[in-house]
Amino acid sequence: MNIKKFLVPVIGAFTILSFSGCTLPFVSDSSVSDENGISYQAYEYKASSQEEVINYITQAVSKNENTCYIFVTDESLIDANTWLLYVNGIEQIQVEYRRVKDGFNMKVTFDCWDNYAIMHAYNTKDTSVLNERQLTLYNKYISVLNEVTSPYNSDVENELAIHDYLVSNITYVEKEDSIFNAYDALINGEAVCSGYAECFKTFMDMLGIENDTISGNAGNQQHIWNVVKLDGVWYQVDVTWDDPVGSTSKYVDHSYFNITGADMALDHTWDRDKFSAFESNSSSYPYSYASIAKLANVNSQGELNKLIKNTISSRKERIEFISSSSDIDIKKAITAAGTQLSYSYKNTPRTAYTLYSVTFTY
């Protein structure tokens, strides 16, 4: 009997600013082979729904395995694209299957994030199941946690410390054989969006902060980012978009740190129904960056002039603030300060305000 085979690599990435990102290709291989050892007898693990198939794959991933064998009753359940959507961290998945009595036997093979194995080792304090690569990555996670976080910090303080560490220590690099995982990001210092997202998720898991990932599109490219839950409210975090391609700034951007779903939707798109569990309709977001950084709310040109003048007088190199006014002018405020200097600024629109970051060179 014929065995059918499909190969589906997972998510692509994007580039910030230039929006010329890389995309991991989706490949379909319909070649036929009779040499892969798929049994004619129905496998022990039986599934009659996508939920059951996904559960078996998730169990295999959590055990640090890369293959599982499943019997399904209906050929329509053989859908690797659906599995990619519902099993976090799969980088590539291949399914081969054979028709047998009353259904189909599937051999599902995959490459996935190291997050599952590393979190199992972290929670059990047993690293014996980790391979050499995973152990290196595990030790790096522990080292960074000890370096930048503290059990005496609040969750949002530790979250911000991890965000800033990743932005400062990873470079967004796009190559023909793009680098997608946490090892590339944390050990080699280079990655695309999924490397940032996997790192951030693993750190949040280790810190005990409820979190997940969202896959969708940004900058006309497939993209993945994170969500965290703090005091019952979901916030969205895009570490990759806070690390702009080609930036030489020594300052960390926070435009996409702990923003609302409505704010993320200004330039990101995703299946809002699928990820509806991460939507919060709260009237208060006390752990947004603007709130925790206590950014000034500047709503007139006079207020801006005063803020800029005081910043220059104290020779601060950078100032961040928010404004709900469309009438403020950075150039006018610099001129009013009466000092010749170079400056640059970035403004990021949000639903209720605009976030400004101004950098001065004296």
Side-chain angles (χ1 to χ4, degrees), residues 24-282:
L24 181 63
F26 283 74
V27 180
S28 177
D29 182 353
S30 58
S31 62
V32 175
S33 170
D34 287 318
E35 299 178 355
N36 65 349
I38 295 180
S39 174
Y40 286 95
Q41 301 297 318
Y43 288 133
E44 176 184 358
Y45 294 132
K46 297 177 172 59
S48 57
S49 67
Q50 283 294 1
E51 290 76 13
E52 291 177 334
V53 173
I54 291 165
N55 184 53
Y56 285 132
I57 295 173
T58 302
Q59 288 180 27
V61 169
S62 67
K63 295 175 183 176
N64 207 18
E65 298 171 352
N66 61 9
T67 304
C68 63
Y69 299 86
I70 309 169
F71 170 83
V72 294
T73 55
D74 190 323
E75 190 172 10
S76 67
L77 298 177
I78 305 172
D79 185 356
N81 286 300
T82 295
W83 309 336
L84 288 174
L85 288 174
Y86 289 96
V87 183
N88 276 337
I90 290 184
E91 296 175 343
Q92 179 172 283
I93 191 165
Q94 173 180 294
V95 56
E96 299 167 272
Y97 64 98
R98 180 194 298 278
R99 180 183 291 276
V100 298
K101 183 179 179 181
D102 299 326
F104 301 83
N105 274 347
M106 297 191 303
K107 176 184 178 182
V108 184
T109 307
F110 39 81
D111 295 323
C112 60
W113 285 356
D114 294 307
N115 169 268
Y116 292 92
I118 284 175
M119 284 311 303
H120 177 77
Y122 184 78
N123 290 328
T124 62
K125 309 303 179 187
D126 178 11
T127 61
S128 63
V129 298
L130 300 180
N131 59 38
E132 182 178 356
R133 160 200 161 104
Q134 291 169 340
L135 184 59
T136 298
L137 184 55
Y138 177 92
N139 289 333
K140 183 65 173 181
Y141 278 122
I142 300 301
S143 174
V144 173
L145 282 175
N146 291 335
E147 177 185 345
V148 305
T149 71
S150 168
Y152 301 105
N153 289 348
S154 66
D155 283 346
V156 72
E157 287 173 331
N158 283 332
E159 180 204 357
L160 181 60
I162 291 299
H163 169 278
D164 289 1
Y165 177 89
L166 296 178
V167 171
S168 299
N169 289 277
I170 303 173
T171 300
Y172 185 97
V173 174
E174 181 186 322
K175 299 177 180 177
E176 290 184 4
D177 54 343
S178 292
I179 38 190
F180 290 91
N181 53 53
Y183 186 92
D184 293 311
L186 211 56
I187 304 301
N188 298 328
E190 297 181 340
V192 292
C193 61
S194 55
Y196 288 84
E198 181 187 353
C199 283
F200 188 82
K201 174 168 179 51
T202 305
F203 279 122
M204 294 303 102
D205 287 343
M206 288 179 163
L207 289 166
I209 298 173
E210 188 173 352
N211 73 97
D212 216 303
T213 59
I214 289 180
S215 54
N217 291 275
N220 298 317
Q221 298 289 340
Q222 292 174 315
H223 188 44
I224 185 169
W225 62 97
N226 302 84
V227 289
V228 297
K229 192 175 186 180
L230 301 169
D231 286 352
V233 177
W234 283 104
Y235 297 81
Q236 302 208 17
V237 184
D238 192 338
V239 184
T240 313
W241 270 44
D242 275 340
D243 191 11
V245 173
S247 173
T248 58
S249 174
K250 62 181 180 180
Y251 299 103
V252 174
D253 194 5
H254 300 98
S255 300
Y256 294 87
F257 179 81
N258 283 12
I259 64 176
T260 67
D263 285 340
M264 190 67 81
L266 293 175
D267 45 31
H268 291 52
T269 59
W270 64 97
D271 186 334
R272 303 296 284 269
D273 291 330
K274 177 192 168 189
F275 295 105
S276 61
F278 307 137
E279 299 281 351
S280 290
N281 296 315
S282 175

Side-chain angles (χ1 to χ4, degrees), residues 283-304:
S283 60
S284 175
Y285 291 84
Y287 300 117
S288 68
Y289 180 70
S291 295
I292 63 173
K294 297 180 173 59
L295 299 186
N297 190 355
V298 177
N299 289 307
S300 71
Q301 187 65 38
E303 291 178 357
L304 178 61

